[in-house]
Amino acid sequence: QVQLVESGGGFVQAGGSLRLSCGPSGRTFSRYAMGWFRQAPGKEREFVAAISWGGASTYYADSVKGRFTISRDNAKNTVYLQMNSLKPEDTAVYYCAAAVSGTPRYPGAYDYWGQGTQVTVSS
């Protein structure tokens, strides 16, 4: 069973930066595509970014393109989400997820999930 653990969330002012990390507490996930999603209160979980298992392909939601960067270090079993130029509308619980196949951009295609980390951006 793959267990994912997010870290790096917190409180930041608009325009600031945070870097989220996600690593398993179980076996290696180097053969899994990884994604980041977020969910704000009263809203559905939405796609943020995804990266293929080898790191060659990345995908972003339009709302974060140019501000967020997803990356991975398979030697460390860790995936990152660098978030720059944060806006109040980025406030949400951020989840990382692992997919056995493909590099999907919708939650239902992911097989394993973390518990989430809160990101709060003040105006």
Side-chain angles (χ1 to χ4, degrees), residues 1-4 24 26-29 32 98 112-113:
Q1 183 76 11
V2 175
Q3 294 176 300
L4 302 172
R27 66 175 190 242
T28 181
F29 70 104
Y32 293 82
Y112 304 99
W113 290 86

Side-chain angles (χ1 to χ4, degrees), residues 40 48 61 64 71 100 104 110:
V48 175
V64 306
S71 62
V100 173
Y110 282 78

Side-chain angles (χ1 to χ4, degrees), residues 39-100:
Q39 188 165 18
K43 295 187 177 181
E44 294 186 353
R45 192 167 297 188
E46 66 173 359
F47 170 74
V48 175
I51 188 167
S52 59
W53 70 268
S57 299
T58 57
Y59 306 92
Y60 297 93
D62 288 343
S63 59
V64 306
K65 202 170 293 183
R67 299 188 298 123
F68 291 11
T69 303
I70 188 171
S71 62
R72 66 189 300 162
D73 185 338
N74 284 343
K76 296 182 179 179
N77 277 341
T78 303
V79 63
Y80 305 97
L81 185 67
Q82 178 66 44
M83 305 186 295
N84 298 329
S85 302
L86 282 161
K87 305 175 181 180
E89 51 264 43
D90 294 318
T91 295
V93 177
Y94 283 70
Y95 299 89
C96 73
V100 173

Side-chain angles (χ1 to χ4, degrees), residues 4-9 20-23 36-37 93-97 113-117:
L4 302 172
V5 180
E6 303 96 336
S7 62
L20 305 183
S21 299
C22 173
W36 285 97
F37 292 79
V93 177
Y94 283 70
Y95 299 89
C96 73
W113 290 86
Q115 294 300 306
T117 186

